[in-house]
Amino acid sequence: MTTLQLPTYADVQAAALRLEGHANRTPVNTSRTFNEMVGAEVFFKCENFQRMGAFKFRGAFNALSKFSPAQRKGGVVAFSSGNHAQGIALSARLLGMPATIVMPHDAPAAKVAATRGYGANVVTYDRYKEDREEIGRKLAAEHGMTLIPPYDHPDVLAGQGTAAKELFEEVGPLDALFTPLGGGGLLSGTALATRALAPDCKLYGVEPEAGNDGQQSFRKGEIVNIDTPKTIADGAQTQHLGQYTFGIIRRDVNDIVTASDAQLVDAMRFFAERMKMVVEPTGCLGMAAVLGMKDQLKGQRVGVIISGGNVDIARFCELLAA
Ligand SMILES: *Cc1c(COP(=O)(O)O)cnc(C)c1O
C-alpha cells in the first residue's frame, strides 16, 4: 500500500492566493435571536453568497488554475448533477478552457440549463445502465481531458479550506466550528485551516441522519460504504468518504454528528424568516447540529459554515409548507 501525501495548510494558503479577485470573500452574518436560542455567540460563514451559490467554486477554481498549458487545451471533465458541475463549468469559462460535464439523463432541466449556461458541454448518461465514472474516464482518455472529482483531490479540498481561513481571519479563534459533510472535501480543507489558525477549536462534521457513513467511518477507523441515502440534503448524498478526505478527517476532526431532515427544514425556515437568506437543505446541516448540541456550547464562540443556497424555489416553498 502506498501512503498518500496529504495536503497541508500551505496548500490552503496557496489556494487563497489563486482565488483572490475571483472568488467572493463571503460575509459572516450573525443573529441575536439565534444567539439567545443557543446561549452562545454564533458566526455564520455564508457560502450561499459564493459565486454560483456554493463553496464548490473555491475547490474547482483552485484545481483548474493549476492545469498545465496542455491540460488547459484538452479541458476538464467532471461528473455531477449538482454544485460541483456548476463550479467546474464557471471556473473553466473564467479560465478560458473547455468543460464537459457528465450528468444523468433525468437530471433536473434547470440544472442542465444552468451548467450549459456557463458554457459547458453536457453529456448525459442512463444512471440505471451506465457507470458515470467509466464514461468520465473514457472521455478523459479519448479527448485528452483532465478529470476533476468532486471531493477526493488535494487541490479541490485545499480550495474548500479557504472559506474557514477567511472565517478565522475575520472573527478570530473559535471554541467550536460546524461544517456540512458529504464526501469530505469541505470538512478536510476546513480541518487544515482550523488546526493552523485555531488549534484548540473543536471541529465537527455534520451529516444527514439517513446517510451517516462518515460517522461510521470515523468511529471504525476505516472508510465505510453505504447505499445512496434518502434525504433532502442532496449535496451530502455521498456513499463514502475519499482517501485524502478521510486521511485528514480521522486525524484532525473532533467528531461527526448528524441532523434529521425535519431539523434541516426548521433551519431553512429560520434562515429565511429571521436572517432573510435562502439556504439549501445541505447548507443547513451545521446550524441544525448547533441547536442539537446547545447544552454543550453555552457561552462559547461558535462558527457555522453555510455551504450553499442552490435550491429550486418551488421545492423550497414545498419543503417549508409541509
Ligand atoms: C458538495 C456540497 C456539500 C458537501 O461537500 P463535501 O466536500 O462533499 O463534503 C455540502 N453542501 C453543499 C451545498 C454542497 O454543494
Side-chain angles (χ1 to χ4, degrees), residues 47 52-56 82-84 150-152 156-157 160 179-188 206 234-238 241 245 249 280-285 305-310:
E47 287 296 296
M52 57 59 56
F55 72 91
K56 291 274 196 331
N83 289 330
H84 179 60
Y151 52 86
D152 205 25
V156 171
L157 73 87
Q160 319 304 30
T179 180
L181 170 60
L186 180 62
L187 180 58
S188 58
V206 190
D234 56 344
Q237 277 180 313
T238 39
L241 300 177
T245 60
I249 288 169
E280 63 182 278
T282 317
C284 294
L285 283 163
I305 297 184
I306 297 177
S307 53
N310 291 331

Side-chain angles (χ1 to χ4, degrees), residues 137-304:
R137 269 195 298 272
K138 218 169 128 194
L139 281 167
E142 284 172 8
H143 302 279
M145 299 174 186
T146 303
L147 181 67
I148 297 294
Y151 52 86
D152 205 25
H153 188 293
D155 300 333
V156 171
L157 73 87
Q160 319 304 30
T162 59
K165 176 178 182 287
E166 289 174 9
L167 174 62
F168 286 119
E169 284 167 357
E170 186 161 337
V171 306
L174 296 166
D175 299 303
L177 176 57
F178 291 78
T179 180
L181 170 60
L186 180 62
L187 180 58
S188 58
T190 299
L192 297 178
T194 303
R195 291 299 157 248
L197 299 174
D200 298 330
C201 176
K202 289 222 159 63
L203 176 58
Y204 298 94
V206 190
E207 281 181 312
E209 208 169 76
N212 72 334
D213 62 285
Q215 188 180 54
Q216 292 183 46
S217 306
F218 189 75
R219 307 254 151 104
K220 209 170 168 198
E222 63 185 60
I223 298 174
V224 172
N225 276 272
I226 60 167
D227 290 336
T228 303
K230 282 198 175 60
T231 167
I232 60 170
D234 56 344
Q237 277 180 313
T238 39
Q239 292 172 266
H240 55 83
L241 300 177
Q243 301 290 335
Y244 288 100
T245 60
F246 182 61
I248 295 169
I249 288 169
R250 70 184 304 187
R251 183 191 68 194
D252 289 345
V253 170
N254 292 86
D255 204 0
I256 294 174
V257 298
T258 63
S260 69
D261 280 5
Q263 288 176 300
L264 297 182
V265 171
D266 288 344
M268 278 171 72
R269 182 173 290 111
F270 184 91
F271 282 135
E273 272 180 1
R274 308 307 292 252
M275 296 179 75
K276 318 305 166 196
M277 296 198 292
V278 174
V279 180
E280 63 182 278
T282 317
C284 294
L285 283 163
M287 113 77 121
V290 167
L291 273 178
M293 285 174 62
K294 66 179 180 175
D295 294 344
Q296 281 165 253
L297 300 170
K298 288 270 171 287
Q300 297 192 358
R301 288 163 48 83
V302 178
V304 171

